[in-house]
């Protein structure tokens, strides 16, 4: 009888330890699912000769249904860009428009996006007024994502989630540069 009770207690402890992470993962996924409004993006782009800070973007909307992350930029504000490149001061801005959908899944405390299957007409407009005026046409965000160029979009990011707040953090290395980004959202 004592031996049977000990075996049952041990089995219950094993079952609890196996189901607790699954329940925790499920709770994390439930938290991040929903509609979120960006309050601020804060990005750093660094290389041997470039050090840029990009902040702003409030108003962009992120909808995550558990399988797809949809970014809507209709009401997104500009992001200001400052820093240096080649020891010369950089001043400019970035502006996103339209929308982008990326198949995305929750893996632990990360959102993992499949950029190869990204879609939508989202564009990124970059304008610099220093060190010289640089004002190219808006670029396709899908093309930037799929070619591994700077996109400024959190497609595979660690997240922390509370009932009314979501924070995404991402580090990406591309073309000899490192992007470190933090996107702070509130539930819409």
């Amino acid at each position: 009888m004592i031996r049977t009770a000990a075996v049952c207690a041990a089995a219950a402890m094993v079952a609890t330890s196996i189901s607790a992470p699954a329940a925790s993962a499920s709770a994390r996924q439930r938290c991040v699912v929903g509609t979120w409004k960006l309050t601020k993006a804060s990005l750093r782009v660094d290389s041997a000769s470039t050090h840029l800070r990009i902040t702003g973007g409030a108003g962009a909307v992120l909808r995550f249904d558990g399988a797809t992350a949809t970014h809507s930029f209709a009401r997104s504000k500009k992001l200001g860009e400052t820093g240096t490149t080649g020891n010369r001061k950089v001043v400019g801005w970035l502006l996103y428009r339209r929308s982008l959908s990326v198949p995305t899944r929750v893996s632990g405390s990360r959102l993992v996006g499949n950029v190869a299957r990204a879609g939508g007409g989202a564009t990124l407009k970059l304008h610099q007024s220093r060190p010289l005026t640089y004002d190219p046409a808006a670029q396709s965000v899908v093309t930037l994502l799929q070619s591994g160029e700077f996109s400024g979009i959190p497609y595979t990011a660690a997240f922390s989630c509370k009932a009314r707040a979501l924070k995404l953090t991402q580090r990406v290395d591309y073309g000899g540069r490192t992007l470190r980004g933090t996107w702070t959202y509130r539930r819409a």
Side-chain angles (χ1 to χ4, degrees):
M1 178 84 159
I2 292 175
R3 185 173 180 185
T4 304
V7 169
C8 287
M13 286 175 36
V14 168
T16 301
S17 66
I18 290 171
S19 65
S24 177
S26 177
R28 278 194 299 270
Q29 181 166 351
R30 279 193 311 271
C31 183
V32 76
V33 168
T35 302
W36 301 91
K37 190 170 187 177
L38 184 68
T39 57
K40 183 179 182 183
S42 181
L43 313 173
R44 290 180 27 207
V45 178
D46 292 297
S47 71
S49 63
T50 300
H51 304 285
L52 302 174
R53 302 298 168 261
I54 302 166
T55 59
V61 173
L62 168 63
R63 287 181 184 84
F64 181 62
D65 64 7
T68 303
T70 302
H71 302 264
S72 298
F73 301 107
R75 294 195 169 116
S76 179
K77 305 273 190 239
K78 289 181 181 177
L79 291 98
E81 178 186 37
T82 59
T84 60
T85 186
N87 293 323
R88 296 173 74 188
K89 186 173 181 170
V90 172
V91 176
W93 52 262
L94 293 80
L95 181 63
Y96 293 90
R97 283 295 175 248
R98 300 187 187 142
S99 64
L100 168 75
S101 294
V102 181
T104 302
R105 63 184 171 80
V106 176
S107 177
S109 60
R110 295 185 65 77
L111 293 177
V112 180
N114 181 349
V115 296
R117 293 186 45 222
T123 61
L124 170 59
K125 171 73 175 155
L126 168 66
H127 174 86
Q128 288 183 341
S129 55
R130 288 182 90 177
L132 21 126
T133 300
Y134 179 66
D135 193 28
Q139 299 178 56
S140 162
V141 175
V142 170
T143 300
L144 293 170
L145 282 169
Q146 292 175 347
S147 65
E149 294 294 321
F150 172 84
S151 70
I153 302 297
Y155 58 88
T156 295
F159 71 86
S160 60
C161 187
K162 296 180 180 176
R164 307 256 338 131
L166 174 67
K167 182 177 178 181
L168 302 179
T169 56
Q170 176 175 284
R171 177 189 164 136
V172 178
D173 295 311
Y174 67 97
R177 297 180 189 99
T178 300
L179 165 72
R180 290 178 186 84
T182 302
W183 295 262
T184 306
Y185 297 85
R186 67 174 169 75
R187 196 172 292 276

